Amino acid sequence: MRNLVRFVQKYHFVLLFLLLESLCVYLLSNSHSYHRAALINTSNALTGEVYQTKSNITGYFSLGFHNDLLALENAQLHDRIAELEEMVDSTSHQSDHVHFRHIPAKVISNTVHFRNNYILINKGRLDGVKPDMGIISPDGVAGIVTGVSDHYATALSLLHRYARISVMFRKSGQLANLTWTGENYRYGLVEDIPAHLKIVEGDTVVTSGHSLIFPEGIMVGTIKEYIEPAGSSLNKAILNMSTDFNMLRQVYVVFNSDQQEIDQLRKANIHE
Amino acid sequence: MNKYFLYTARFALLLLFQVLILNNVLIGGYINPFIYVLFIMLLPFNIRPWLLLIIGFLLGYTVDIFSSTSGLHAGATVLMAFVRPTIVRLTTGARDPEGSLNPGISDMGARWFFTYSIVMVLIHHTALFFLEVFSFTQLPSTLLRILLSTLFSELLIMMIMLFFGKNRR
């Protein structure tokens, strides 16, 4: 026993180092999966407050630019309203579409240059934000909510090792998956493309709506370069992402208003 | 009392500078400077080694919280704190620094500080970028990021020291 005490006294520096370092590696490896990433709660009061203050200050510098963007988006929305009104007039019956709602939010912290990037937004549980809701920008898909506190929420950016969303080619309706390889924040990688599908540079890729996180048909990007297949039946292509992650500010949290019902159905399936 | 206030203020300033400004800096796609480690470098020579590790962990973990990472900065900073006594011994040679001296430019000279700090920054950045990628698959790009970021962080650290270092005594 006395030897043990002496051993600990003698090597306390190395022992403490090993202890702390293994704690860090444990924390780190735990954060390396999609669902556990949700546990990291940046969305806690202190950091939220600090980033909100900073965002309040820096927000002024780009006001003009973002006003223009918003005005543009407004215009597009008006167009859409007009189109939809026409459709409503011509068809009187209820559409069978899935119902999605939008919560406007502001990005208060966001990175693009790490291997795994997160977005922090200023809407939280009290505003109705819940994990697994989608985040879209006016230009396209941006991320998926993983952790929420009362007034803030963290989201996995598409620029993350574990961000993987189901997409489809607008022209052909063929499904594929989108991931990010970590090199350039402007480009994503479309995987699992059926080999028979002819892809042309500039083809538009949109969300498939299969995951129910994002509505169908939200812009994701355009094909930049097709990667020649190497013997596999599933091909890849480089995607020019439509969202500029480096200047993400105004975003919308989208959620399916029928989510509870769908979850209950899924749970019922599991129990049987 | 005065000394503790100085260290607390330095901790807060370096932290805010890091998370609010430098975390948003990305030059040429490869350079992310991390200068919060300067805090560990400037702790007095006669600090107890175990306290050095604890402070390293706390500092790293605070940066982690602000960066939405977990254990990443803490791991790299603890490693840096662990090798600090060895680096100090190697760079100061046989003569052990007196307890009254501090590891800054005013006490030890700019040349000594440059050697000391660039080794420390290199160790920290190497650990950090490898922990972040968590594999050796993207070796060339990781090495390039380590090299360029180390040089840029070191440049910033030397600038900070030359601007503010002298007044500290």
Side-chain angles (χ1 to χ4, degrees):
Chain A
M1 189 61 204
R2 196 192 288 159
N3 280 342
L4 181 71
V5 172
R6 204 175 296 153
F7 179 80
V8 171
Q9 270 177 347
K10 193 170 171 198
Y11 294 108
H12 72 275
F13 183 53
V14 179
L15 289 174
L16 183 65
F17 165 69
L18 290 176
L19 184 78
L20 287 175
E21 201 65 59
S22 28
L23 176 65
C24 294
V25 172
Y26 171 74
L27 288 171
L28 192 64
S29 56
N30 259 1
S31 68
H32 268 253
S33 80
Y34 167 77
H35 283 290
R36 284 177 181 167
L39 291 176
I40 317 163
N41 220 347
T42 14
S43 29
N44 67 36
L46 174 71
T47 53
E49 205 63 44
V50 171
Y51 282 127
Q52 178 81 66
T53 311
K54 181 215 168 194
S55 174
N56 285 347
I57 296 166
T58 55
Y60 283 105
F61 297 118
S62 50
L63 268 190
F65 175 72
H66 286 283
N67 273 345
D68 292 349
L69 272 191
L70 285 177
L72 197 70
E73 198 201 353
N74 252 341
Q76 284 165 352
L77 289 177
H78 278 300
D79 289 351
R80 196 111 176 80
I81 290 175
E83 261 174 51
L84 290 174
E85 270 173 351
E86 265 175 45
M87 276 169 68
V88 169
D89 287 343
S90 56
T91 57
S92 55
H93 68 86
Q94 185 83 48
S95 84
D96 56 358
H97 244 248
V98 189
H99 301 284
F100 278 94
R101 300 265 166 79
H102 296 67
I103 306 171
K106 252 202 190 116
V107 173
I108 54 177
S109 157
N110 174 37
T111 58
V112 297
H113 50 270
F114 297 110
R115 180 62 187 92
N116 298 314
N117 296 288
Y118 297 87
I119 303 167
L120 183 61
I121 58 169
N122 69 346
K123 289 286 158 68
R125 194 181 293 122
L126 298 183
D127 307 289
V129 179
K130 285 184 197 132
D132 286 337
M133 287 182 174
I135 293 199
I136 58 175
S137 78
D139 300 322
V141 172
I144 299 163
V145 176
T146 52
V148 289
S149 66
D150 282 352
H151 299 102
Y152 301 97
T154 356
L156 216 66
S157 166
L158 281 197
L159 311 179
H160 193 288
R161 185 194 296 268
Y162 296 103
R164 184 182 183 85
I165 64 168
S166 171
V167 295
M168 76 182 180
F169 289 87
R170 188 148 74 184
K171 235 169 30 190
S172 57
Q174 289 282 0
L175 296 177
N177 286 309
L178 175 74
T179 56
W180 186 58
T181 50
E183 273 128 28
N184 189 324
Y185 70 89
R186 311 252 23 192
Y187 306 125
L189 183 69
V190 183
E191 292 180 327
D192 310 331
I193 307 171
H196 65 270
L197 193 61
K198 288 223 163 47
I199 303 170
V200 189
E201 206 174 288
D203 271 0
T204 306
V205 175
V206 296
T207 51
S208 71
H210 279 203
S211 63
L212 292 170
I213 291 177
F214 296 105
E216 187 182 323
I218 299 279
M219 183 71 175
V220 177
T222 50
I223 295 295
K224 177 175 176 275
E225 197 185 324
Y226 177 63
I227 302 173
E228 282 299 319
S232 148
S233 63
L234 294 171
N235 298 338
K236 293 177 178 179
I238 295 174
L239 180 87
N240 210 335
M241 292 207 265
S242 59
T243 303
D244 186 347
F245 285 90
N246 207 20
M247 37 178 244
L248 213 54
R249 279 200 77 76
Q250 181 69 49
V251 293
Y252 299 94
V253 180
V254 289
F255 65 99
N256 190 332
S257 51
D258 299 334
Q259 190 63 48
Q260 258 188 335
E261 214 176 306
I262 294 165
D263 284 347
Q264 274 169 2
L265 270 177
R266 281 192 178 152
K267 253 182 218 153
N269 280 343
I270 291 165
H271 287 313
E272 268 164 25
Chain B
M1 169 61 205
N2 211 354
K3 205 172 71 182
Y4 293 117
F5 175 74
L6 175 77
Y7 281 110
T8 315
R10 190 185 286 164
F11 187 98
L13 281 177
L14 281 173
L15 184 73
L16 288 178
F17 185 50
Q18 180 68 50
V19 300
L20 293 185
I21 297 171
L22 293 184
N23 273 5
N24 299 312
V25 170
L26 173 73
I27 305 160
Y30 280 103
I31 303 176
N32 322 128
F34 295 100
I35 53 97
Y36 65 92
V37 289
L38 183 57
F39 184 78
I40 303 291
M41 294 181 206
L42 293 178
L43 290 169
F45 280 125
N46 59 1
I47 189 172
R48 297 216 168 79
W50 60 267
L51 188 58
L52 198 60
L53 289 178
I54 300 283
I55 292 176
F57 181 79
L58 289 180
L59 175 65
Y61 200 73
T62 320
V63 176
D64 270 331
I65 292 174
F66 276 97
S67 318
S68 299
T69 49
S70 173
L72 177 66
H73 291 279
T77 316
V78 167
L79 178 72
M80 198 189 83
F82 177 68
V83 295
R84 196 190 102 145
T86 316
I87 306 289
V88 167
R89 207 162 48 239
L90 289 176
T91 50
T92 51
R95 72 195 158 89
D96 216 16
E98 291 295 319
S100 59
L101 291 181
N102 282 316
I105 285 182
S106 48
D107 283 358
M108 304 297 294
R111 211 156 141 200
W112 175 85
F113 189 80
F114 176 76
T115 321
Y116 165 71
S117 57
I118 200 162
V119 173
M120 295 279 276
V121 169
L122 184 64
I123 288 167
H124 173 269
H125 284 30
T126 307
L128 186 77
F129 285 117
F130 273 115
L131 281 176
E132 189 191 8
V133 179
F134 223 62
S135 77
F136 289 98
T137 49
Q138 298 159 345
L139 199 60
S141 94
T142 309
L143 288 179
L144 189 63
R145 285 179 75 188
I146 291 171
L147 184 72
L148 294 177
S149 299
T150 300
L151 293 178
F152 196 70
S153 299
E154 178 63 20
L155 183 72
L156 277 177
I157 285 175
M158 287 310 282
M159 270 160 63
I160 292 174
M161 289 307 287
L162 291 171
F163 272 124
F164 303 105
K166 290 238 163 70
N167 311 339
R168 287 230 173 98
R169 282 203 78 186

